Amino acid sequence: MTSTEAPARPRPSRLEARVLAPVVPAVLLVLVALTGPLLAAHPVDKPVTAPYGEAGAGGAVLGGDQLGRDVLSRLLNGGSALIGSALVVAVVVTFLATLLGCFAVLSPRLGRLVERAADTAILLPPVLGIMLLALAWPGGGRLAITVAAVLLGVPYAVRIVAGAATPVAATGFVEAAVASGERPGYLALREILPNLRATVLALFGLRFVDAVYVISMAGFLQLGPRPPEADWALMIRENGPGILLNPWAVVAPGLAIGALAISVNLAANALAPATARRAALR
């Protein structure tokens, strides 16, 4: 078996610096978000100051929200659920898209079926699809948004993996394996998939960032998490009317969402070769 992706050969010290510089901030931010509930000074559902209290009032470093609850404590509690949901979406979408994409290039019939299904699903606006599923799901909530993000993310991801796997399937070592009578499962998982590592890694990073935006948007539209749950997007919507009284109640969760998405995107960009990332962005 031979590799079809030309490996980059930078000097080891430069490679480590290029990778560590964007990866370390992303890892630290994710760790802080995941351990946030342990660092919170106040309960997330108990008022500690007046509604939209100023920063520092009642021991609340970032002030109070619309009910006087500690903004910083709710901020520290709101990141773990968002990261967990985005991680589940990214893992499931990447896994399903990789399997379907690798098998689709080996079977013309399955390839046409996947292509047509993906083209049809891509035509559905993501916001409309999320709203339809979230409103039809009994009880709605975060699980409904997670399922909607998976269903809407797989078609686009399958097209990316299938596009990257097509030239691999046409290489000589795959043709030799086919001629020797190897089964489709062996060809997909042992011959094609190892040559798509960079593409799959870039796809995972992009799907994670996209899931953060999708889940945050659903929370802002009140289609996902419900009050009084501590959620960054929900905090922005709930505290919008009082932004002039305590800007931190809106600015802090907005900055947290932006920092998480940007840092993870930069980390995925550093870990994935440029050629694979360009393929994933097509």
Side-chain angles (χ1 to χ4, degrees):
M1 181 176 67
T2 61
S3 174
T4 60
E5 295 178 357
R9 298 180 182 280
R11 294 175 58 184
S13 58
R14 292 182 179 180
L15 176 62
E16 293 175 0
R18 182 181 69 83
V19 172
L20 290 179
V23 169
V24 170
V27 172
L28 292 177
L29 183 59
V30 170
L31 288 177
V32 170
L34 293 178
T35 59
L38 302 176
L39 306 175
H42 302 283
V44 295
D45 55 350
K46 297 291 182 60
V48 296
T49 182
Y52 299 121
E54 296 180 350
V61 177
L62 298 181
D65 65 358
Q66 84 278 17
L67 298 178
R69 298 168 298 191
D70 182 21
V71 170
L72 180 58
S73 295
R74 292 181 63 80
L75 185 71
L76 291 172
N77 279 273
S80 56
L82 174 62
I83 291 175
S85 300
L87 188 61
V88 169
V89 172
V91 170
V92 175
V93 169
T94 304
F95 176 75
L96 294 178
T98 301
L99 281 184
L100 289 174
C102 290
F103 280 96
V105 297
L106 298 174
S107 172
R109 180 178 299 179
L110 177 61
R112 287 193 296 271
L113 178 62
V114 169
E115 182 179 1
R116 290 173 183 173
D119 289 345
T120 303
I122 290 174
L123 293 177
L124 180 66
V127 176
L128 178 60
I130 291 174
M131 292 182 65
L132 289 175
L133 186 56
L135 295 176
W137 192 278
R142 191 181 297 275
L143 178 60
I145 299 304
T146 302
V147 173
V150 170
L151 295 179
L152 295 173
V154 168
Y156 175 74
V158 168
R159 295 296 301 271
I160 293 173
V161 176
T166 298
V168 180
T171 53
F173 65 89
V174 175
E175 294 178 350
V178 173
S180 63
E182 297 292 351
R183 295 178 179 275
Y186 178 88
L187 297 174
L189 301 179
R190 300 294 299 273
E191 299 290 350
I192 295 178
L193 182 57
N195 291 284
L196 302 178
R197 291 189 297 270
T199 299
V200 172
L201 181 60
L203 180 64
F204 174 79
L206 292 173
R207 289 299 92 192
F208 181 87
V209 175
D210 183 72
V212 169
Y213 285 129
V214 168
I215 296 172
S216 299
M217 178 198 65
F220 183 78
L221 296 176
Q222 291 188 330
L223 296 174
R226 305 292 176 82
E229 184 175 349
D231 180 85
W232 290 349
L234 193 59
M235 290 175 64
I236 297 175
R237 181 182 178 87
E238 290 177 337
N239 297 298
I243 189 173
L244 296 180
L245 298 174
N246 181 19
W248 286 112
V250 175
V251 173
L255 289 176
I257 293 174
L260 174 64
I262 292 173
S263 61
V264 174
N265 194 23
L266 292 176
N269 188 28
L271 292 173
T275 53
R277 184 168 179 77
R278 284 195 295 270
L281 288 172
R282 288 173 187 166

